[in-house]
Amino acid sequence: MTSARSHSPTSPGDTRPQILVLRALGLGDLLTAVPALRALRAAHPDHELVLAAPERLTDAAAATGAVDRLLPTSAPGREMPRVLGRLGPPPDIAVNLHGNGPASHSLLQALRPGRLLGYAHPAMPALSGPVWREDEHERDRWCRLVAWYGVPADPADLRIAAPAFPSPAPGAVVIHPGADAAARRWPPERFAAVARALHCAGRHVVITAGSDEGALAHRVARQADLPPSVVVGGGAEVPFGELAALVAGARAMIVGDTGLAHLASALGTPSVVLFGPVAPRIWGPPDLPRHRVLWHPDHIDRPRPGDAHGDRPDDRLLRITAAEVLTAVAGLPEPDPTSAGEAAVVRVG
């Protein structure tokens, strides 16, 4: 595993040749791209590596130890940015870690890079690249892309360093009930049942919330008979350093298929991750005993059996019970940053 280095973002006036990487998505998307970013950094040590991503990910990008500067992007939700901000001279290399469609390729082509690295697409025959595979883990996908262009990458090189400052709740079980789509949000009453049982068993429970998830987190706390003080966030985004310190110092993380699941993986925190519309082999945590995946697929196993951005909880997610989650938490090993081994994946169906 490559240890994460601490980078201070360089100024836009940096005169080194540039690698511009497009990954204008969320926290989990960034963290699954860390192995590919590290590989690009190692292969081009004399280049400035610029990441085009939402500005809120600046601190997370720095924590990867691979990104020199973040070029802020802006678009509603998960939409593609229409243009990229001021970059300076054309980049020496542009890398599409965003997708494989003409929109993301064209966005980078407009910058007139010396080379464009991306997946092949029939609408853009001039770009030679590897063939896109639907049934592939996100970390593997981007490592395979850069490897095709001669940059070897290790999908297991995903760890980031924990913040230097201590956790505000060391040893807590952190529960994150939110997700950016209802399809991946387990019912709040079930999260509350888990939180109540853990609290009654003597566990310190913390409930985290994104900037628009305060009502959800407080609902879970109320239904679990816990005070409002157990909720972290909700009124505004929790700064990345504080959030990372909380997760790094946690006994365990209970979370759906969303960004904080990937943060737990990146920090080596034991986790129980709940899956529904998307198979864990596409977006799941590493195959290590400290991560437990709960998933109830249909009889026909498909990588994306549901709509990950749907407006109601996915049927496969609803098959997971509070009792299963509590059993999975009880079976987690103690936190150990050096632990390794086979996955503990629970599949029923």
Side-chain angles (χ1 to χ4, degrees):
M1 181 189 75
T2 301
S3 61
R5 295 171 296 168
S6 176
H7 273 268
S8 296
T10 57
S11 71
D14 195 308
T15 58
R16 291 176 292 168
Q18 289 177 342
I19 300 175
L20 177 67
V21 179
L22 178 64
R23 187 71 168 164
L25 295 162
L27 175 62
D29 305 278
L30 168 60
L31 294 173
T32 58
V34 164
L37 289 169
R38 291 231 178 98
L40 290 166
R41 171 78 286 158
H44 301 281
D46 297 327
H47 283 61
E48 180 194 24
L49 196 151
V50 181
L51 177 68
E55 189 170 16
R56 67 180 182 276
L57 297 180
T58 298
D59 291 342
T64 69
V67 175
D68 293 308
R69 176 161 60 96
L70 188 135
L71 179 69
T73 61
S74 178
R78 294 177 66 86
E79 291 183 16
M80 172 69 59
R82 293 187 178 182
V83 295
L84 295 177
R86 181 176 177 81
L87 182 68
D92 185 36
I93 304 169
V95 186
N96 188 353
L97 299 187
H98 189 96
N100 74 321
S104 53
H105 287 342
S106 298
L107 189 63
L108 292 173
Q109 279 187 330
L111 300 174
R112 297 179 291 110
R115 295 178 66 203
L116 174 58
L117 281 55
Y119 274 102
H121 192 281
M124 306 191 75
L127 176 62
S128 62
V131 175
W132 180 274
R133 299 173 186 164
E134 286 296 328
D135 194 352
E136 183 172 33
H137 196 285
E138 196 73 359
R139 288 188 298 272
D140 297 333
R141 183 188 309 286
W142 303 117
C143 287
R144 182 168 64 88
L145 172 67
V146 297
W148 194 90
Y149 287 97
V151 179
D154 178 6
D157 186 14
L158 54 83
R159 293 288 299 277
I160 64 173
F165 47 92
S167 166
V173 176
V174 177
I175 295 176
H176 186 75
D180 64 6
R184 288 175 282 117
R185 287 198 290 266
W186 201 45
E189 59 271 16
R190 299 192 199 179
F191 273 116
V194 169
R196 184 186 308 109
L198 290 170
H199 174 72
C200 291
R203 292 290 187 182
H204 180 187
V205 174
V206 171
I207 302 171
T208 52
S211 60
D212 59 349
E213 297 170 342
L216 172 62
H218 282 285
R219 176 182 173 186
V220 172
R222 284 195 306 273
Q223 292 185 346
D225 298 321
L226 296 174
S229 59
V230 304
V231 175
V232 173
E237 289 286 346
V238 180
F240 177 78
E242 295 179 20
L243 186 63
L246 174 65
V247 174
R251 167 63 183 92
M253 180 98 205
I254 303 171
V255 61
D257 177 17
T258 190
L260 262 68
H262 298 285
L263 184 58
S265 296
L267 292 167
T269 301
S271 66
V272 174
V273 189
L274 285 56
F275 278 83
V278 179
R281 69 174 182 270
I282 303 297
W283 279 96
D287 291 346
L288 299 170
R290 61 175 170 264
H291 303 299
R292 303 291 177 103
V293 170
L294 297 180
W295 192 46
H296 294 259
D298 299 320
H299 295 299
I300 300 175
D301 186 4
R302 295 168 291 167
R304 292 176 175 82
D307 179 3
H309 305 290
D311 59 5
R312 61 176 299 276
D314 185 81
D315 288 343
R316 285 151 288 270
L317 186 64
L318 292 176
R319 294 170 190 161
I320 300 171
T321 67
E324 288 177 273
V325 174
L326 289 165
T327 298
V329 172
L332 289 174
E334 291 293 325
D336 179 4
T338 64
S339 63
E342 297 300 322
V345 177
V346 179
R347 289 170 49 113
V348 181

